[in-house]
Amino acid sequence: MFTPKYPPQDTAPAPALYVPTAGAPVPAPQAPAPVAPVSGRPTVQLTPGSALALAAGGGAVVLVVGAVLVSLLLAVAITGMSVAVVAVVLRSLLKDLNNQR
């Protein structure tokens, strides 16, 4: 159950060994060129219609998020103005209360 499962061994043939002669220079060993991995998943191909739909959907998302953020900013601004008006009214009431004494 807990034994590791190893991937199958490569099926590439073993490289041929080069035996140099007595007077020939020895070539430097070279690393094999990397091979791109092959994926089992299909690639996504966009047709012009699906690309247009994707762009329109992205634009709609940007507009909706922008509208929500603007409405939140407007709500914060209205709340701030309301607090400022309440502060001015309370200050005026307290000033009038202190002047009557």
Side-chain angles (χ1 to χ4, degrees):
M1 181 172 153
F2 293 110
T3 58
K5 293 177 176 55
Y6 297 108
Q9 295 293 328
D10 290 336
T11 57
L17 295 176
Y18 173 72
V19 180
T21 59
V26 178
Q30 296 179 355
V35 178
V38 177
S39 175
R41 298 181 298 184
T43 57
V44 177
Q45 296 181 357
L46 292 177
T47 62
S50 62
L52 184 63
L54 187 64
V61 167
V62 167
L63 289 177
V64 168
V65 169
V68 168
L69 291 177
V70 167
S71 65
L72 287 173
L73 182 62
L74 184 62
V76 168
I78 291 173
T79 304
M81 289 298 293
S82 300
V83 169
V85 168
V86 168
V88 168
V89 169
L90 284 177
R91 182 177 175 192
S92 175
L93 289 174
L94 288 175
K95 184 178 179 184
D96 289 342
L97 184 65
N98 287 336
N99 285 342
Q100 288 179 359
R101 288 186 188 183

